Amino acid sequence: QVQLAESGGGLVQAGGSLRLSCVASGRAFSSYTMGWFRQAPGKEREFVAAISWSGSGLYYADVVKGRFTISRDNAKNSVYLQMNSLKPEDTAVYYCAAKPLGLSDLVANYRYWGQGTQVTVSS
């Protein structure tokens, strides 16, 4: 069992930056692939980025590539999402998630989820 807790959301102007954090408790965090997803009002949850257990494998959605960076620190049971050049369309609740085995962009493949943190980008 893995429990996940996100933090770092907030209100930012377009062009600004935010850094999201997700701390995990429970067993074997370092063995899980970690992902970030987001869900805007009235829309389905969508993939943002994922990182392999070692940190060597990275995967980004096209809409955030070049602007967002995912990283992890297994010693701190944490995964991060650095978000730069934010746009109003990035406004959503952001979730971190964990899954065994390899990288994936599918919501259904992730076993554990946090409660989410709100990111609002004003124009």
Side-chain angles (χ1 to χ4, degrees):
Q1 189 77 8
V2 175
Q3 293 81 42
L4 303 172
E6 304 93 338
S7 63
L11 174 64
V12 63
Q13 288 188 331
S17 298
L18 280 175
R19 187 189 193 218
L20 305 184
S21 299
C22 174
V23 177
S25 59
R27 299 176 61 183
F29 167 80
S30 60
S31 68
Y32 284 92
T33 286
M34 299 299 297
W36 285 98
F37 291 77
R38 67 187 184 186
Q39 188 166 18
K43 295 188 177 182
E44 293 187 353
R45 194 167 297 189
E46 66 173 1
F47 171 74
V48 175
I51 186 167
S52 64
W53 69 271
S54 66
S56 62
L58 302 174
Y59 183 21
Y60 294 96
D62 288 343
V63 293
V64 305
K65 202 173 293 183
R67 300 189 297 124
F68 291 10
T69 302
I70 189 171
S71 61
R72 68 189 295 163
D73 185 339
N74 287 340
K76 296 182 178 180
N77 277 13
S78 295
V79 62
Y80 308 99
L81 186 69
Q82 177 66 44
M83 304 186 295
N84 298 329
S85 302
L86 282 160
K87 305 175 181 180
E89 51 264 42
D90 294 318
T91 295
V93 177
Y94 282 71
Y95 299 89
C96 72
K99 68 176 295 293
L101 303 177
L103 297 172
S104 174
D105 60 2
L106 298 178
V107 171
N109 285 350
Y110 285 77
R111 184 176 299 177
Y112 303 108
W113 292 84
Q115 293 300 306
T117 185
Q118 176 71 47
V119 171
T120 303
V121 184
S122 63
S123 57

